[in-house]
Amino acid sequence: MACLIVTKGQEVGKYFQLGNRTLAGGRDPSREIQIVDPTVSRKHFLIRKDGDGHAIVEMRAKNGIVVNGETYSEKKLADGDEIQVGETTLTYYDDDQPDRTNALEQFRAAGREYREDRTLSGG
């Protein structure tokens, strides 16, 4: 199973296991892939299943999505791709990292109040 790992920014090491379900990313507390970074839009991107891999799709991103230095509105991801959203970089891996704690499980277990406490104010 594929995953995303924050490799640059405020939350280095944060790990998101990806599956078949579409996941939303951004600063908003309702995003499964919540990134606490003032330069990330509240509703920045989607990660969706695309064939045997995943694709990233820009939603309402003020600063866009950059994959390996190129700006995209939609891009199929390959192993090792570096995705820059705001000042945060996530790296996409084809394989799972089973020794890591899945931030998606923490998201599902946490209450909305906890997620909102982690959100920076602003649009």
Side-chain angles (χ1 to χ4, degrees), residues 109-123:
R112 183 166 177 86
E113 183 176 306
Y114 168 79
R115 294 191 303 268
E116 286 176 350
D117 285 345
R118 298 187 67 239
T119 302
L120 303 169
S121 62

Side-chain angles (χ1 to χ4, degrees), residues 17-91:
Q17 187 179 58
L18 306 176
N20 294 325
R21 188 172 152 239
T22 298
L23 300 173
R27 200 178 71 242
D28 191 275
S30 67
R31 306 293 93 181
E32 293 97 343
I33 301 174
Q34 185 186 24
I35 300 172
V36 181
D37 173 341
T39 60
V40 171
S41 296
R42 293 179 68 78
K43 297 177 180 177
H44 206 106
F45 63 90
L46 294 175
I47 296 283
R48 64 173 173 75
K49 189 75 173 151
D50 186 346
D52 61 351
H54 291 85
I56 188 165
V57 180
E58 180 184 353
M59 286 185 66
R60 299 178 193 156
K62 291 179 187 174
N63 297 323
I65 296 169
V66 177
V67 179
N68 300 326
E70 303 273 337
T71 302
Y72 294 93
S73 58
E74 183 171 343
K75 169 85 167 98
K76 181 158 178 152
L77 298 171
D79 189 52
D81 277 352
E82 292 188 344
I83 304 159
Q84 185 173 349
V85 290
E87 294 179 9
T88 299
T89 301
L90 301 113
T91 302

